[in-house]
Amino acid sequence: MTVKRAESLGAQLANVLRQRIVRGELAPGERITEEALAEEFEVSRGPVRDALTQLSFEKLVRIQRPRGVFVVGLTRDDVDELYSLRGALEQLALSRAIRVEDDTRWQVMADAVRRMAEAADAGDHSAFVVADLDFHSQIYALADHPRLEGAWRQYLPTFTALLDVTINHDADLHDSAHDHVVLMEVMRSGDAARAADVLTAHLDGARDRMLSELVQQTS
């Protein structure tokens, strides 16, 4: 792991462990220890505790002192809960964002669409993930609802890990890039009902792909 000084060590460790759990590299029920993680990443136990506390909040691990920390992982119900929560949050954000008429405020989303297209052309999955999530984060920014945006930010690391897993199964990213073009265009058209339908189909597809990933991990 390469340490990024602009990001706390705890957050960096949480990102690594979250990816391992979502990918199934750490199995449900597996016991992990602060000592082993501190030794593996060559850090003190403080950042490890911070990471495990965050993952406990996300329901990915269960802290049972003094017995230890146990991987919870993701079940079908977890994935359904996460995407139903995201759907509720994002539909509210969309219903407010769609009222924004100032073209300049849509430029960040347009830039994310452009970066997705470039990443698709280059076959750059990592860049695509960043642009994809920037696109969706901008829906919340346009909503002008700080508490709603804060709720999204709480779960953004989890959805980053989920997208990182599913997107790497796509040899061609152009269809996904086009889906975001359609979503932005329908939002800008002001057709709230159609925009809601397009967003629902988009998030349902993301959920179904993650559910398929879980099946492959357990087969």
Side-chain angles (χ1 to χ4, degrees):
M1 182 182 85
T2 302
V3 173
K4 302 173 185 175
R5 295 300 175 188
E7 186 177 18
S8 75
L9 280 174
Q12 292 180 63
L13 292 176
N15 287 338
V16 173
L17 294 173
R18 187 183 296 110
Q19 289 284 352
R20 290 180 181 179
I21 292 169
V22 171
R23 290 173 180 156
E25 295 169 9
L26 289 172
E30 186 172 341
R31 184 174 181 267
I32 53 180
T33 67
E34 292 179 4
E35 296 88 346
L37 292 173
E39 182 178 350
E40 177 184 354
F41 295 110
E42 300 180 342
V43 297
S44 68
R45 290 172 64 173
V48 172
R49 289 194 193 100
D50 291 343
L52 294 176
T53 298
Q54 176 60 32
L55 296 177
S56 176
F57 167 78
E58 296 174 24
K59 310 297 184 187
L60 294 176
V61 303
R62 182 175 64 257
I63 299 174
Q64 291 185 316
R65 294 191 172 94
R67 293 183 60 211
V69 180
F70 297 86
V71 175
V72 175
L74 287 175
T75 65
R76 291 184 62 88
D77 287 345
D78 292 324
V79 173
D80 280 334
E81 283 186 14
L82 283 165
Y83 278 98
S84 64
L85 173 62
R86 180 175 173 183
L89 295 175
E90 208 149 311
Q91 288 288 359
L92 175 57
L94 180 146
S95 71
R96 294 172 62 91
I98 204 169
R99 306 171 192 168
V100 175
E101 297 180 354
D102 183 354
D103 289 343
T104 61
R105 294 196 60 198
W106 290 89
Q107 286 306 305
V108 176
M109 183 179 287
D111 179 65
V113 167
R114 176 187 58 77
R115 288 187 288 122
M116 273 187 275
E118 291 174 351
D121 289 342
D124 188 338
H125 290 72
S126 295
F128 193 95
V129 168
V130 173
D132 185 320
L133 292 168
D134 284 349
F135 175 100
H136 288 279
S137 292
Q138 191 59 19
I139 298 175
Y140 293 89
L142 288 165
D144 293 325
H145 191 317
R147 288 182 174 83
L148 177 60
E149 187 173 5
W152 162 245
R153 293 289 175 187
Q154 280 188 311
Y155 286 93
L156 181 55
T158 304
F159 283 107
T160 301
L162 296 176
L163 180 59
D164 188 64
V165 167
T166 56
I167 205 72
N168 279 297
H169 285 200
D170 292 340
D172 190 338
L173 298 169
H174 288 92
D175 285 346
S176 184
H178 180 68
D179 286 347
H180 290 83
V181 173
V182 172
L183 180 54
M184 185 178 72
E185 288 178 347
V186 74
M187 288 178 66
R188 298 243 47 198
S189 76
D191 188 337
R194 182 164 175 250
D197 288 344
V198 171
L199 179 62
T200 295
H202 181 74
L203 295 181
D204 283 352
R207 178 204 61 209
D208 291 346
R209 292 172 68 205
M210 190 61 218
L211 290 173
S212 296
E213 176 68 26
L214 286 181
V215 170
Q216 292 179 35
Q217 288 179 8
T218 57
S219 62

